Amino acid sequence: MSRMSDQPERWSQATTYPDMWADPDDDPRNSDGVSPDGELATLQDFLTNYRLTLKMKCEGLDAEQLARRSVPPSTMSLLGLLRHLAEVERDWRNWIRDGEPLPKLYGERDADFNGAVGDQDVVDAAYADLAREQAALDDELAEYPDLGERLGKDGFAVRELMVHRIEEYARHCGQADLLRECIDGRVGQ
């Protein structure tokens, strides 16, 4: 196993713009046409693109590479980020509920990162957990199209939750950029 401190050759699959992740014609985040109309559609579009960016940063890696940690004492890895975001999506569902909170997916604090080991079953479970938790929160929030509506015992506005979700994914996509570059040198947007 190579260490994150080993310096791989930098590279990109893009040919049009070599500092991009993918050529514009091949980038699934690029959409033809005009941008979405309205605030809610715009927020959903940004969230969708950041979610896709995270998946793109993980594609093509094996279980060991996904579980590779950055630098000691950090427990951060791409797999850990996938698990963390599944846990966060679940926690956001707790923000908008009035009843008993849903239990944590992975147990005690930091188990999302600590349990991110290089095993394909763990990787498959992380992707499944993330997809399930994203869909569950998306479905629950679809019932509240008014961005000003306040939900849950603490009265979070739907808008606040949407912006916070975008911020969380954007921050972790930045971390994923660095993690991926350390693993195999791949760079880009």
Side-chain angles (χ1 to χ4, degrees):
M1 176 173 122
S2 66
R3 298 183 331 254
M4 282 285 192
S5 61
D6 294 339
Q7 293 186 357
E9 183 79 23
R10 295 184 81 197
W11 66 282
S12 171
Q13 287 183 329
T15 57
T16 307
Y17 304 104
D19 62 336
M20 296 179 82
W21 188 262
D23 286 323
D25 291 341
D26 300 327
D27 192 336
R29 298 166 300 179
N30 290 343
S31 59
D32 295 329
V34 296
S35 61
D37 287 329
E39 186 180 4
L40 178 59
T42 299
L43 293 171
Q44 290 170 330
D45 189 55
F46 270 86
L47 179 60
T48 297
N49 284 333
Y50 277 120
R51 284 174 169 175
L52 187 51
T53 297
L54 181 68
K55 288 180 185 175
M56 291 169 69
K57 294 295 177 176
C58 296
E59 71 187 11
L61 299 176
D62 62 29
E64 183 182 316
Q65 290 171 313
L66 287 168
R68 193 171 302 159
R69 294 183 175 184
S70 56
V71 292
S74 176
T75 59
M76 187 173 293
S77 66
L78 288 169
L79 179 56
L81 288 176
L82 293 172
R83 290 167 50 97
H84 171 71
L85 286 163
E87 192 76 77
V88 169
E89 292 274 2
R90 174 170 279 214
D91 192 46
W92 286 328
R93 288 171 58 204
N94 288 329
W95 289 14
I96 65 174
R97 295 169 166 231
D98 291 321
E100 287 294 313
L102 298 165
K104 289 196 158 293
L105 286 174
Y106 304 113
E108 77 269 358
R109 181 174 174 82
D110 296 328
D112 42 0
F113 287 101
N114 291 329
V117 296
D119 178 281
Q120 191 59 47
D121 289 340
V122 174
V123 171
D124 294 343
Y127 278 112
D129 290 343
L130 183 57
R132 182 190 64 246
E133 296 303 322
Q134 287 172 338
L137 181 55
D138 289 348
D139 289 347
E140 287 187 37
L141 283 176
E143 298 176 28
Y144 306 100
D146 177 358
L147 291 171
E149 187 166 351
R150 298 199 169 271
L151 306 173
K153 63 182 179 351
D154 293 323
F156 287 102
V158 173
R159 177 182 292 102
E160 181 180 5
L161 180 56
M162 290 297 295
V163 171
H164 187 66
R165 294 167 80 195
I166 293 165
E167 177 272 333
E168 184 87 10
Y169 276 89
R171 182 166 42 94
H172 291 313
C173 283
Q175 294 163 333
D177 283 340
L178 298 173
L179 289 164
R180 179 62 188 252
E181 185 175 357
C182 286
I183 292 169
D184 67 356
R186 186 155 184 204
V187 296
Q189 85 287 8

